[in-house]
Amino acid sequence: MATYLQLRQQLAARIHMDETLSDQATILNRFINTAIETVAEETEWDFLVERGTSFSVGSTTTTVTFSSIASTFIAPLSLYMIDTAYSPSKRWQLEEQKIPFSDPAFNTLRGVDPNDATRRKKPTRYWVEWNAQAPVLILDPYPDATYTGVLYYRATLPDLSADADTNYFTNNFRGMILDQASKEGFTFKGKDELVELYQREYERKLDSALDRQDIRSRTARMVLDPKVFKNTRVSP
């Protein structure tokens, strides 16, 4: 576990900078936050798969703006719709549409006038695009009734800012973040041999971190599904 201040001090000692000088501290902070962003986006971390706030869509709804998740949203993973008119409720997954809604081809695919009742059905596809720095959900076809939607999405971590700040990576994988930040620092300094050294160290620690995540995921699935446990082979 390491705080933002501790990481900055350790990084400064490693790449030979003075974190007590404000201009150098600013650069060190950028190296650390860039490293965290890189690690967060380089692979799918279980803890960064989040469930967005449930939302409701009604007849002729064309878009839903997720302003509440704009600061951490990276990309959609899956979207489910729920029809509460049935007991028990019916739930289905929508297909992610790959054509941007700004593309004329998208309008052709999704139908024409939303006020045309013959074009309104249960949504089966969706697209997420950014508008004014917030993710916007576009449904296809236009809903024919009121449904509840649940979006699962990949998130990122906010930047560290205060000296005492920590996050999942600094608490669990300090060395991995420090190595990636060191690579950023030595790239800045033009020390190619050290960039390669810390790239190798980072990759080794990333592999170890992902192995730990995979073990936790399999353990959780074993609890929920005995068949996973039955089919798991333990190496001697």
Side-chain angles (χ1 to χ4, degrees):
M1 176 177 176
T3 64
Y4 193 27
L5 174 61
Q6 290 169 333
L7 271 178
R8 188 167 65 243
Q9 291 170 336
Q10 292 167 6
L11 180 61
R14 179 178 286 184
I15 67 175
H16 308 296
M17 294 181 70
D18 188 349
E19 65 93 18
T20 64
L21 301 177
S22 61
D23 57 339
Q24 295 193 35
T26 298
I27 295 173
L28 289 164
N29 289 340
R30 186 172 72 246
F31 292 157
I32 293 169
N33 280 311
T34 299
I36 291 172
E37 180 180 0
T38 298
V39 175
E41 296 184 4
E42 194 162 64
T43 189
E44 291 189 5
W45 297 92
D46 288 348
F47 81 98
L48 287 177
V49 175
E50 298 194 2
R51 174 174 170 165
T53 304
S54 297
F55 61 92
S56 178
V57 294
S59 180
T60 74
T61 299
T62 58
T63 62
V64 179
T65 301
F66 292 93
S67 57
S68 62
I69 63 172
S71 62
T72 59
F73 179 92
I74 295 178
L77 289 174
S78 59
L79 174 67
Y80 292 87
M81 301 298 287
I82 302 169
D83 189 347
T84 58
Y86 295 87
S87 182
S89 299
K90 289 188 175 181
R91 170 187 168 110
W92 68 96
Q93 184 174 359
L94 278 68
E95 175 188 358
E96 183 181 1
Q97 175 64 43
K98 300 299 184 181
I99 299 178
F101 78 93
S102 54
D103 188 320
F106 186 78
N107 291 326
T108 301
L109 282 173
R110 73 195 306 256
V112 285
D113 186 358
N115 294 312
D116 181 353
T118 63
R119 298 286 184 177
R120 298 201 297 265
K121 301 178 182 177
K122 289 183 179 180
T124 57
R125 297 181 294 188
Y126 74 98
W127 172 262
V128 174
E129 193 160 298
W130 289 86
N131 181 15
Q133 304 303 310
V136 177
L137 174 71
I138 300 92
L139 299 174
D140 175 39
Y142 296 108
D144 60 349
T146 299
Y147 302 109
T148 297
V150 179
L151 177 69
Y152 291 84
Y153 63 96
R154 282 188 63 202
T156 188
L157 293 169
D159 284 350
L160 300 176
S161 56
D163 285 348
D165 281 355
T166 63
N167 62 30
Y168 179 88
F169 289 131
T170 65
N171 288 338
N172 295 279
F173 304 112
R174 177 189 63 182
M176 181 174 68
I177 296 300
L178 188 58
D179 287 343
Q180 178 64 22
S182 299
K183 191 183 80 169
E184 297 284 343
F186 286 122
T187 298
F188 175 76
K189 289 192 161 193
K191 303 286 187 180
D192 293 343
E193 69 284 359
L194 292 174
V195 171
E196 294 176 3
L197 169 65
Y198 285 107
Q199 175 64 25
R200 290 193 299 271
E201 285 298 304
Y202 163 70
E203 290 175 353
R204 181 178 64 81
K205 289 171 184 172
L206 176 62
D207 287 343
S208 176
L210 293 176
D211 285 344
R212 287 172 57 182
Q213 173 176 267
D214 184 59
I215 290 170
R216 284 197 298 268
S217 296
R218 285 195 64 83
T219 301
R221 291 199 301 273
M222 287 177 194
V223 173
L224 296 174
D225 187 353
K227 290 183 292 186
V228 175
F229 178 79
K230 181 179 179 181
N231 295 327
T232 299
R233 298 181 62 181
V234 180
S235 301

